[in-house]
Amino acid sequence: MKGILGGLIVVCLILPCGAAVIHVPQDAATIIAGIESASDGDTVLVAPGSYSGDGNINIGFQGKSILVISESGPQNCIIDCRNNGRGFYFALGETSEAVLDGFTVRNGNISGYWPEGYGGAVLISEADPKIRNCVFEYNLAYFGGAIAISQSEAVIENCIIRNNTA
């Protein structure tokens, strides 16, 4: 019994115990609904497909330390803003524990001045998220066609940025 209990304690130290995986669209109809139902340490796992419209664009992490990840990479999981907003924004003090991984964000279109017109695909302001394995293409903004960053130590790695306009 002692060995089993010790093993469980070790597992809980390595893996976050009680962390949930919220599947979109199975558990939550939209990406925003998945984030709203998530708590710090949870994962929002997005199925392959093209996502657009209310609940799937202008997506904020709401200050949460969560992982939002596609099931099968950016070639199979697309946020299509349809020239009606941006893909994601981080502006509520998210830390490096807020991670976006494996999406293509396209056709973001933002107009105006700070902050409305900044970051066609992603806006980061006073937050420090990690963004990895993403593609940002065909986005338009006054400043930062793909990504606009202000007062941040964001980490952006292994991403492709192409055919964006500012």
Coordinates of all heavy atoms in Angstrom, one line a residue, residues 23-110:
H23 N -12.7 18.8 -25.1 CA -12.6 18.6 -26.6 C -13.6 19.5 -27.3 O -14.8 19.6 -26.9 CB -13.0 17.1 -26.9 CG -12.0 16.1 -26.3 ND1 -12.1 15.7 -25.1 CD2 -11.0 15.6 -26.9 CE1 -11.1 14.8 -24.9 NE2 -10.4 14.7 -26.0
V24 N -13.1 20.2 -28.3 CA -13.9 21.0 -29.2 C -14.0 20.3 -30.5 O -13.0 19.9 -31.1 CB -13.3 22.4 -29.3 CG1 -14.1 23.3 -30.3 CG2 -13.2 23.2 -28.0
P25 N -15.2 20.1 -31.1 CA -16.5 20.5 -30.6 C -17.3 19.5 -29.8 O -18.5 19.7 -29.5 CB -17.2 20.8 -31.9 CG -16.7 19.7 -32.8 CD -15.2 19.6 -32.4
Q26 N -16.7 18.4 -29.4 CA -17.5 17.4 -28.7 C -18.0 17.8 -27.3 O -19.1 17.7 -27.0 CB -16.6 16.1 -28.5 CG -16.2 15.4 -29.8 CD -14.9 16.0 -30.3 OE1 -14.5 17.1 -30.0 NE2 -14.3 15.2 -31.2
D27 N -17.1 18.4 -26.5 CA -17.5 18.8 -25.1 C -18.0 20.3 -25.1 O -18.8 20.6 -24.3 CB -16.3 18.7 -24.1 CG -15.8 17.3 -24.0 OD1 -16.6 16.3 -24.2 OD2 -14.6 17.1 -23.8
A28 N -17.4 21.1 -25.9 CA -17.8 22.5 -26.0 C -17.9 22.8 -27.5 O -17.1 22.5 -28.3 CB -16.7 23.4 -25.4
A29 N -19.0 23.5 -27.9 CA -19.4 23.7 -29.3 C -18.4 24.6 -30.0 O -18.1 24.5 -31.2 CB -20.8 24.3 -29.4
T30 N -17.7 25.6 -29.3 CA -16.8 26.5 -29.9 C -15.5 26.6 -29.1 O -15.5 26.1 -27.9 CB -17.4 27.9 -29.9 OG1 -17.6 28.4 -28.6 CG2 -18.7 28.0 -30.7
I31 N -14.5 27.2 -29.7 CA -13.2 27.3 -28.9 C -13.4 28.2 -27.7 O -12.9 27.9 -26.6 CB -12.1 27.8 -29.9 CG1 -11.9 26.8 -31.0 CG2 -10.8 28.0 -29.1 CD1 -11.1 27.3 -32.2
I32 N -14.1 29.3 -27.9 CA -14.3 30.2 -26.7 C -15.1 29.5 -25.6 O -14.7 29.6 -24.4 CB -15.1 31.5 -27.2 CG1 -14.1 32.4 -28.0 CG2 -15.6 32.3 -25.9 CD1 -14.8 33.6 -28.6
A33 N -16.1 28.7 -26.0 CA -16.8 27.9 -24.9 C -15.9 26.9 -24.2 O -16.0 26.7 -23.0 CB -18.0 27.1 -25.6
G34 N -14.9 26.3 -25.0 CA -14.0 25.4 -24.4 C -13.1 26.2 -23.4 O -12.8 25.7 -22.3
I35 N -12.6 27.4 -23.7 CA -11.8 28.2 -22.9 C -12.6 28.6 -21.6 O -12.1 28.6 -20.5 CB -11.2 29.4 -23.6 CG1 -10.2 28.9 -24.6 CG2 -10.6 30.4 -22.7 CD1 -9.7 29.9 -25.6
E36 N -13.8 29.0 -21.8 CA -14.7 29.5 -20.7 C -14.9 28.4 -19.7 O -14.9 28.6 -18.5 CB -16.0 30.0 -21.2 CG -15.9 31.3 -21.9 CD -17.2 31.8 -22.5 OE1 -18.2 30.9 -22.7 OE2 -17.3 33.0 -22.9
S37 N -14.9 27.1 -20.1 CA -15.1 26.0 -19.2 C -13.8 25.5 -18.6 O -13.9 24.6 -17.7 CB -15.9 24.9 -19.9 OG -15.2 24.3 -20.9
A38 N -12.7 26.0 -19.1 CA -11.4 25.5 -18.6 C -11.0 26.2 -17.4 O -11.3 27.4 -17.2 CB -10.3 25.7 -19.7
S39 N -10.2 25.5 -16.6 CA -9.5 26.1 -15.4 C -8.0 26.1 -15.6 O -7.5 25.3 -16.5 CB -9.9 25.3 -14.2 OG -11.3 25.4 -13.9
D40 N -7.3 26.8 -14.8 CA -5.8 26.8 -14.9 C -5.3 25.3 -14.9 O -5.8 24.5 -14.1 CB -5.2 27.5 -13.8 CG -5.3 29.0 -13.9 OD1 -5.6 29.5 -15.0 OD2 -5.0 29.7 -12.9
G41 N -4.4 25.0 -15.9 CA -3.8 23.7 -16.0 C -4.6 22.8 -17.0 O -4.1 21.7 -17.3
D42 N -5.7 23.2 -17.4 CA -6.5 22.4 -18.3 C -6.0 22.5 -19.8 O -5.3 23.4 -20.1 CB -8.0 22.8 -18.3 CG -8.7 22.3 -17.0 OD1 -8.1 21.6 -16.2 OD2 -9.9 22.8 -16.8
T43 N -6.5 21.6 -20.6 CA -6.2 21.6 -22.0 C -7.5 21.7 -22.8 O -8.4 21.0 -22.5 CB -5.4 20.3 -22.4 OG1 -4.2 20.3 -21.8 CG2 -5.2 20.2 -23.9
V44 N -7.5 22.6 -23.8 CA -8.6 22.7 -24.7 C -8.1 22.1 -26.0 O -7.2 22.6 -26.7 CB -9.1 24.1 -24.9 CG1 -10.2 24.2 -26.0 CG2 -9.5 24.7 -23.6
L45 N -8.6 20.9 -26.4 CA -8.1 20.1 -27.5 C -9.1 20.3 -28.7 O -10.3 19.9 -28.5 CB -8.0 18.7 -27.1 CG -7.4 17.7 -28.2 CD1 -6.0 18.1 -28.6 CD2 -7.4 16.3 -27.6
V46 N -8.6 20.9 -29.8 CA -9.5 21.2 -30.9 C -9.4 20.2 -32.0 O -8.3 20.0 -32.5 CB -9.2 22.7 -31.4 CG1 -10.2 23.1 -32.5 CG2 -9.3 23.7 -30.2
A47 N -10.5 19.7 -32.4 CA -10.5 18.7 -33.5 C -10.2 19.3 -34.8 O -10.4 20.5 -35.0 CB -11.9 18.0 -33.6
P48 N -9.7 18.5 -35.8 CA -9.5 19.0 -37.1 C -10.7 19.7 -37.7 O -11.8 19.3 -37.5 CB -9.1 17.8 -37.9 CG -8.6 16.8 -36.9 CD -9.4 17.1 -35.7
G49 N -10.5 20.7 -38.5 CA -11.6 21.4 -39.2 C -11.3 22.9 -39.4 O -10.2 23.4 -39.0
S50 N -12.2 23.6 -40.0 CA -12.1 25.0 -40.2 C -13.1 25.7 -39.2 O -14.3 25.3 -39.2 CB -12.4 25.4 -41.6 OG -12.3 26.8 -41.8
Y51 N -12.7 26.6 -38.4 CA -13.5 27.2 -37.4 C -13.6 28.7 -37.8 O -12.6 29.4 -38.1 CB -12.9 27.1 -36.0 CG -12.8 25.6 -35.6 CD1 -11.8 24.8 -36.0 CD2 -13.9 25.1 -34.8 CE1 -11.8 23.5 -35.6 CE2 -13.9 23.8 -34.4 CZ -12.8 23.0 -34.8 OH -12.8 21.6 -34.4
S52 N -14.8 29.3 -37.7 CA -15.1 30.7 -38.0 C -16.3 31.1 -37.3 O -17.0 30.3 -36.7 CB -15.2 30.9 -39.5 OG -16.2 30.2 -40.0
G53 N -16.6 32.4 -37.3 CA -17.8 33.0 -36.7 C -17.8 33.1 -35.2 O -16.7 32.9 -34.6
D54 N -18.9 33.5 -34.7 CA -19.0 33.7 -33.2 C -18.5 32.5 -32.5 O -18.9 31.4 -32.8 CB -20.4 34.0 -32.8 CG -20.9 35.4 -33.3 OD1 -20.0 36.3 -33.6 OD2 -22.1 35.6 -33.4
G55 N -17.7 32.8 -31.5 CA -17.2 31.7 -30.6 C -15.9 31.0 -31.1 O -15.3 30.3 -30.4
N56 N -15.5 31.4 -32.4 CA -14.3 30.8 -33.0 C -13.3 31.8 -33.5 O -12.4 31.4 -34.2 CB -14.7 29.8 -34.1 CG -15.4 28.6 -33.5 OD1 -14.9 28.0 -32.5 ND2 -16.5 28.2 -34.0
I57 N -13.6 33.1 -33.4 CA -12.7 34.2 -33.7 C -12.7 35.1 -32.5 O -13.5 35.0 -31.6 CB -13.0 34.9 -35.0 CG1 -14.4 35.6 -34.9 CG2 -13.0 33.9 -36.2 CD1 -14.6 36.6 -36.1
N58 N -11.7 36.1 -32.5 CA -11.6 37.0 -31.4 C -11.5 36.2 -30.1 O -12.3 36.5 -29.1 CB -12.7 38.0 -31.4 CG -12.7 38.9 -32.7 OD1 -11.7 39.3 -33.1 ND2 -13.9 39.0 -33.3
I59 N -10.7 35.3 -30.0 CA -10.6 34.3 -28.9 C -9.5 34.8 -27.9 O -8.4 35.0 -28.2 CB -10.1 32.9 -29.4 CG1 -11.1 32.4 -30.5 CG2 -10.0 31.9 -28.3 CD1 -10.6 31.3 -31.3
G60 N -10.0 35.0 -26.7 CA -9.1 35.4 -25.6 C -9.0 34.3 -24.6 O -9.9 33.5 -24.4
F61 N -7.8 34.2 -24.0 CA -7.5 33.1 -23.0 C -8.1 33.5 -21.6 O -8.0 32.7 -20.7 CB -6.0 32.9 -22.9 CG -5.5 31.8 -23.9 CD1 -5.9 31.8 -25.2 CD2 -4.6 30.9 -23.5 CE1 -5.4 30.9 -26.1 CE2 -4.1 29.9 -24.4 CZ -4.6 29.9 -25.7
Q62 N -8.6 34.7 -21.5 CA -9.3 35.1 -20.2 C -8.4 35.1 -19.0 O -8.9 34.8 -17.9 CB -10.6 34.3 -20.0 CG -11.5 34.4 -21.2 CD -12.7 33.5 -21.1 OE1 -13.0 32.8 -20.1 NE2 -13.5 33.5 -22.2
G63 N -7.1 35.3 -19.2 CA -6.2 35.3 -18.1 C -5.8 34.0 -17.6 O -5.1 33.8 -16.6
K64 N -6.2 32.9 -18.2 CA -6.0 31.5 -17.7 C -4.7 30.9 -18.2 O -4.2 31.2 -19.3 CB -7.2 30.6 -18.2 CG -8.5 31.1 -17.7 CD -9.6 30.2 -18.1 CE -11.0 30.7 -17.6 NZ -12.1 29.8 -18.1
S65 N -4.2 30.1 -17.4 CA -3.0 29.3 -17.7 C -3.4 28.0 -18.2 O -3.5 27.0 -17.5 CB -2.1 29.1 -16.4 OG -1.7 30.4 -16.0
I66 N -3.7 27.9 -19.5 CA -4.2 26.7 -20.2 C -3.5 26.5 -21.5 O -2.8 27.4 -22.0 CB -5.7 26.9 -20.5 CG1 -6.0 28.1 -21.4 CG2 -6.5 26.9 -19.2 CD1 -7.5 28.2 -21.8
L67 N -3.6 25.3 -22.0 CA -3.1 24.9 -23.3 C -4.3 24.8 -24.2 O -5.2 24.0 -24.0 CB -2.3 23.6 -23.2 CG -1.9 22.9 -24.5 CD1 -1.0 23.7 -25.3 CD2 -1.4 21.5 -24.2
V68 N -4.2 25.5 -25.3 CA -5.2 25.4 -26.4 C -4.4 24.9 -27.6 O -3.5 25.5 -28.1 CB -5.9 26.8 -26.8 CG1 -6.8 26.6 -27.9 CG2 -6.6 27.3 -25.5
I69 N -4.7 23.6 -28.0 CA -3.9 22.9 -29.0 C -4.8 22.2 -30.0 O -5.9 21.7 -29.6 CB -3.0 21.9 -28.3 CG1 -2.0 21.2 -29.3 CG2 -3.7 20.9 -27.4 CD1 -0.9 20.5 -28.6
S70 N -4.4 22.1 -31.2 CA -5.1 21.4 -32.2 C -4.7 19.9 -32.1 O -3.6 19.6 -31.7 CB -4.8 21.9 -33.6 OG -3.5 21.6 -34.0
E71 N -5.6 19.0 -32.5 CA -5.4 17.6 -32.4 C -4.3 17.2 -33.5 O -3.6 16.3 -33.3 CB -6.6 16.8 -32.7 CG -7.5 16.7 -31.5 CD -8.7 15.8 -31.8 OE1 -8.7 15.0 -32.8 OE2 -9.7 15.8 -31.1
S72 N -4.3 17.9 -34.6 CA -3.5 17.4 -35.7 C -2.7 18.4 -36.5 O -2.5 18.2 -37.7 CB -4.4 16.5 -36.7 OG -5.4 17.3 -37.2
G73 N -2.4 19.5 -35.8 CA -1.5 20.5 -36.4 C -2.2 21.6 -37.3 O -3.3 21.5 -37.6
P74 N -1.4 22.6 -37.6 CA -1.9 23.7 -38.3 C -2.5 23.5 -39.7 O -3.4 24.2 -40.2 CB -0.8 24.7 -38.4 CG 0.5 23.9 -38.3 CD 0.1 22.7 -37.4
Q75 N -2.0 22.4 -40.4 CA -2.5 22.1 -41.7 C -3.9 21.6 -41.7 O -4.6 21.6 -42.7 CB -1.6 21.1 -42.5 CG -1.5 19.8 -41.8 CD -0.5 19.6 -40.7 OE1 0.0 20.6 -40.1 NE2 -0.3 18.4 -40.2
N76 N -4.4 21.1 -40.5 CA -5.7 20.5 -40.4 C -6.6 21.2 -39.4 O -7.8 20.8 -39.2 CB -5.5 19.1 -39.9 CG -4.8 18.2 -40.9 OD1 -5.1 18.2 -42.0 ND2 -3.7 17.5 -40.4
C77 N -6.2 22.3 -38.8 CA -7.0 23.1 -37.9 C -6.8 24.6 -38.2 O -5.8 25.2 -37.8 CB -6.6 22.7 -36.4 SG -7.9 23.2 -35.2
I78 N -7.9 25.1 -38.8 CA -7.8 26.5 -39.3 C -8.8 27.4 -38.6 O -10.0 27.0 -38.5 CB -8.0 26.5 -40.8 CG1 -7.0 25.6 -41.5 CG2 -8.1 27.9 -41.4 CD1 -7.3 25.2 -42.9
I79 N -8.3 28.5 -38.2 CA -9.2 29.6 -37.7 C -9.3 30.6 -38.9 O -8.4 31.2 -39.2 CB -8.6 30.3 -36.5 CG1 -8.2 29.4 -35.4 CG2 -9.5 31.4 -36.0 CD1 -9.3 28.6 -34.8
D80 N -10.5 30.6 -39.5 CA -10.7 31.5 -40.6 C -11.6 32.7 -40.2 O -12.8 32.5 -39.9 CB -11.4 30.8 -41.8 CG -11.5 31.6 -43.0 OD1 -11.3 32.8 -43.0 OD2 -11.8 31.0 -44.1
C81 N -10.9 33.8 -40.0 CA -11.6 35.0 -39.5 C -12.6 35.6 -40.5 O -13.4 36.5 -40.1 CB -10.6 36.0 -39.0 SG -9.6 35.4 -37.7
R82 N -12.5 35.2 -41.8 CA -13.3 35.7 -42.8 C -13.4 37.3 -42.9 O -14.4 37.9 -43.1 CB -14.7 35.1 -42.7 CG -14.8 33.6 -42.9 CD -16.1 33.1 -42.9 NE -16.1 31.7 -43.1 CZ -17.2 30.9 -43.0 NH1 -18.3 31.4 -42.7 NH2 -17.1 29.6 -43.2
N83 N -12.2 37.9 -42.6 CA -12.1 39.3 -42.7 C -13.0 40.0 -41.7 O -13.5 41.2 -42.0 CB -12.3 39.8 -44.1 CG -11.2 39.4 -45.0 OD1 -10.0 39.5 -44.7 ND2 -11.6 38.7 -46.1
N84 N -13.3 39.4 -40.6 CA -14.3 40.0 -39.6 C -13.7 39.9 -38.2 O -14.4 39.4 -37.3 CB -15.6 39.2 -39.7 CG -16.7 39.9 -39.0 OD1 -16.7 41.1 -38.7 ND2 -17.7 39.2 -38.5
G85 N -12.5 40.2 -37.9 CA -11.9 40.2 -36.6 C -10.5 39.5 -36.7 O -10.0 39.3 -37.7
R86 N -10.0 39.2 -35.5 CA -8.7 38.5 -35.4 C -8.9 37.1 -34.8 O -9.9 36.8 -34.3 CB -7.7 39.4 -34.5 CG -8.0 39.4 -33.1 CD -6.9 40.0 -32.2 NE -6.5 41.3 -32.6 CZ -7.1 42.5 -32.2 NH1 -8.1 42.5 -31.4 NH2 -6.6 43.6 -32.7
G87 N -7.8 36.4 -34.9 CA -7.9 35.0 -34.3 C -7.9 35.0 -32.8 O -8.8 34.6 -32.2
F88 N -6.8 35.5 -32.2 CA -6.6 35.4 -30.8 C -6.1 36.7 -30.2 O -5.4 37.4 -30.9 CB -5.5 34.3 -30.5 CG -6.0 32.9 -30.8 CD1 -5.8 32.4 -32.1 CD2 -6.7 32.1 -29.9 CE1 -6.2 31.1 -32.4 CE2 -7.1 30.8 -30.2 CZ -6.8 30.3 -31.5
Y89 N -6.3 36.9 -28.9 CA -5.7 38.0 -28.2 C -5.4 37.5 -26.8 O -6.0 36.7 -26.2 CB -6.6 39.2 -28.2 CG -7.9 39.1 -27.5 CD1 -8.0 39.4 -26.1 CD2 -9.0 38.7 -28.1 CE1 -9.2 39.3 -25.4 CE2 -10.2 38.5 -27.4 CZ -10.3 38.9 -26.1 OH -11.5 38.7 -25.4
F90 N -4.3 38.1 -26.3 CA -3.8 37.9 -24.9 C -3.7 39.3 -24.3 O -2.7 40.0 -24.7 CB -2.5 37.1 -24.9 CG -2.5 35.8 -25.6 CD1 -2.3 35.7 -27.0 CD2 -2.8 34.6 -24.9 CE1 -2.4 34.4 -27.6 CE2 -2.8 33.4 -25.5 CZ -2.6 33.3 -26.8
A91 N -4.5 39.6 -23.4 CA -4.5 41.0 -22.8 C -4.9 41.1 -21.4 O -5.2 42.1 -20.9 CB -5.3 41.9 -23.7
L92 N -4.9 39.9 -20.7 CA -5.4 39.9 -19.3 C -4.3 39.3 -18.4 O -4.5 38.6 -17.5 CB -6.7 39.1 -19.2 CG -7.9 39.7 -19.8 CD1 -9.1 38.8 -19.7 CD2 -8.2 41.1 -19.2
G93 N -3.0 39.6 -18.8 CA -1.9 39.2 -17.9 C -1.6 37.7 -18.0 O -1.0 37.2 -17.1
E94 N -1.9 37.1 -19.1 CA -1.6 35.6 -19.2 C -0.1 35.5 -19.1 O 0.7 36.3 -19.6 CB -2.0 35.1 -20.6 CG -3.5 35.0 -20.8 CD -4.2 36.3 -21.2 OE1 -3.5 37.3 -21.4 OE2 -5.4 36.2 -21.5
T95 N 0.3 34.4 -18.5 CA 1.7 34.0 -18.3 C 2.2 33.1 -19.3 O 1.4 32.7 -20.2 CB 1.9 33.4 -16.9 OG1 1.3 32.1 -16.9 CG2 1.3 34.2 -15.8
S96 N 3.4 32.6 -19.2 CA 4.0 31.7 -20.1 C 3.3 30.3 -20.0 O 3.5 29.4 -20.9 CB 5.5 31.5 -19.9 OG 5.7 31.0 -18.6
E97 N 2.4 30.1 -19.1 CA 1.6 28.9 -18.9 C 0.4 28.9 -19.8 O -0.3 28.0 -19.9 CB 1.2 28.7 -17.5 CG 2.4 28.5 -16.5 CD 3.3 27.3 -16.9 OE1 2.7 26.2 -17.1 OE2 4.5 27.5 -16.9
A98 N 0.2 30.1 -20.5 CA -0.9 30.2 -21.5 C -0.3 29.8 -22.9 O 0.6 30.6 -23.3 CB -1.5 31.6 -21.5
V99 N -0.7 28.7 -23.4 CA 0.0 28.2 -24.6 C -1.0 28.0 -25.8 O -2.0 27.3 -25.6 CB 0.8 26.9 -24.3 CG1 1.4 26.4 -25.6 CG2 1.8 27.1 -23.2
L100 N -0.7 28.5 -26.9 CA -1.4 28.3 -28.2 C -0.5 27.5 -29.1 O 0.6 27.8 -29.4 CB -1.8 29.6 -28.8 CG -2.5 29.6 -30.2 CD1 -3.9 29.0 -30.0 CD2 -2.6 30.9 -30.8
D101 N -1.0 26.3 -29.6 CA -0.2 25.4 -30.3 C -1.0 24.7 -31.4 O -2.0 24.1 -31.2 CB 0.3 24.3 -29.3 CG 1.4 23.4 -29.9 OD1 1.5 23.3 -31.1 OD2 2.1 22.8 -29.0
G102 N -0.4 24.9 -32.7 CA -0.9 24.1 -33.8 C -2.1 24.5 -34.6 O -2.9 23.7 -35.0
F103 N -2.2 25.9 -34.8 CA -3.3 26.4 -35.6 C -2.8 27.2 -36.8 O -1.7 27.8 -36.8 CB -4.2 27.3 -34.8 CG -4.9 26.6 -33.7 CD1 -4.3 26.4 -32.4 CD2 -6.2 26.2 -33.8 CE1 -5.0 25.8 -31.4 CE2 -6.9 25.5 -32.8 CZ -6.3 25.3 -31.6
T104 N -3.6 27.2 -37.9 CA -3.5 28.2 -38.9 C -4.5 29.3 -38.6 O -5.7 29.0 -38.4 CB -3.7 27.6 -40.3 OG1 -2.6 26.7 -40.6 CG2 -3.7 28.7 -41.4
V105 N -4.1 30.5 -38.6 CA -5.0 31.7 -38.5 C -4.9 32.5 -39.8 O -3.8 33.0 -40.1 CB -4.7 32.5 -37.3 CG1 -5.6 33.7 -37.1 CG2 -4.6 31.7 -36.0
R106 N -6.0 32.6 -40.4 CA -6.0 33.3 -41.7 C -7.2 34.3 -41.8 O -8.2 34.1 -41.1 CB -6.0 32.4 -42.9 CG -7.2 31.5 -43.1 CD -7.3 30.7 -44.4 NE -6.1 29.9 -44.6 CZ -6.1 28.6 -44.9 NH1 -7.2 28.0 -45.1 NH2 -5.0 28.0 -45.1
N107 N -7.0 35.2 -42.7 CA -8.1 36.2 -43.1 C -8.6 37.0 -41.9 O -9.7 37.5 -41.8 CB -9.3 35.5 -43.7 CG -8.9 34.8 -45.0 OD1 -8.1 35.3 -45.8 ND2 -9.4 33.6 -45.2
G108 N -7.6 37.3 -40.9 CA -7.9 38.3 -39.9 C -7.9 39.7 -40.5 O -7.1 39.9 -41.4
N109 N -8.8 40.5 -40.1 CA -8.9 41.9 -40.6 C -9.3 42.8 -39.5 O -10.4 42.8 -39.0 CB -9.9 41.9 -41.8 CG -9.8 43.2 -42.6 OD1 -9.5 44.3 -42.0 ND2 -10.1 43.1 -43.8
I110 N -8.4 43.7 -39.1 CA -8.6 44.6 -38.0 C -8.3 46.0 -38.5 O -7.2 46.2 -39.1 CB -7.6 44.2 -36.8 CG1 -7.9 42.8 -36.3 CG2 -7.7 45.2 -35.7 CD1 -9.3 42.7 -35.7

